Amino acid sequence: MNQTSTLDWTVVCALHRLEPDRGVAALVDGMQIALFRTADELFAIDNRDPVSGAYVLSRGIVGSRGGVPTVASPLHKQVYDLRSGHCLDLPGVAVARHEARCRDGLVEVRLRQEG
């Protein structure tokens, strides 16, 4: 059975430190994540590009495709849906998505672990 368990929320930074439509890398519970702020949402995904294996997604180009918030890998340009982690260019390829929220002006992330 494939269950998803969640760990505790971790404060990453103040919301005002995140520039809209720019990614930043953060270390959360020993895992590199890529954190993105759009006009009205926060997204957290693994920073590791599943195609190249490099930790670069935080440096990707934030945009949208058909109204879906996305990030394009800076290496091979595959586009990932920030809401689900699915690659929009390669079926069956995905990056892990984590929960992100703003509470009292602080950005918090909770990792999702597949188990």
Side-chain angles (χ1 to χ4, degrees), residues 1-111:
M1 180 192 295
N2 199 11
Q3 294 182 354
T4 300
S5 62
T6 54
L7 304 174
D8 293 329
W9 288 98
T10 300
V11 173
V12 176
C13 65
L15 181 64
H16 74 271
R17 303 271 321 251
L18 295 180
E19 293 183 44
D21 300 324
R22 303 268 325 252
V24 297
L27 194 60
V28 176
D29 294 329
M31 176 178 273
Q32 277 195 46
I33 60 134
L35 187 61
F36 301 93
R37 177 184 179 185
T38 62
D40 55 355
E41 291 186 82
L42 292 170
F43 299 97
I45 60 175
D46 280 357
N47 196 31
R48 185 179 177 275
D49 179 347
V51 174
S52 69
Y55 290 85
V56 295
L57 290 180
S58 62
R59 294 179 180 205
I61 298 168
V62 176
S64 65
R65 187 183 283 181
V68 173
T70 61
V71 63
S73 171
L75 294 179
H76 299 290
K77 309 302 183 223
Q78 286 85 11
V79 175
Y80 296 89
D81 181 337
L82 286 172
R83 299 173 308 176
S84 68
H86 291 104
C87 183
L88 301 179
D89 300 321
L90 299 171
V93 175
V95 63
R97 186 189 60 81
H98 306 287
E99 295 178 83
R101 69 181 182 191
C102 181
R103 198 169 72 155
D104 299 326
L106 298 175
V107 175
E108 298 178 331
V109 172
R110 182 162 63 180
L111 298 180

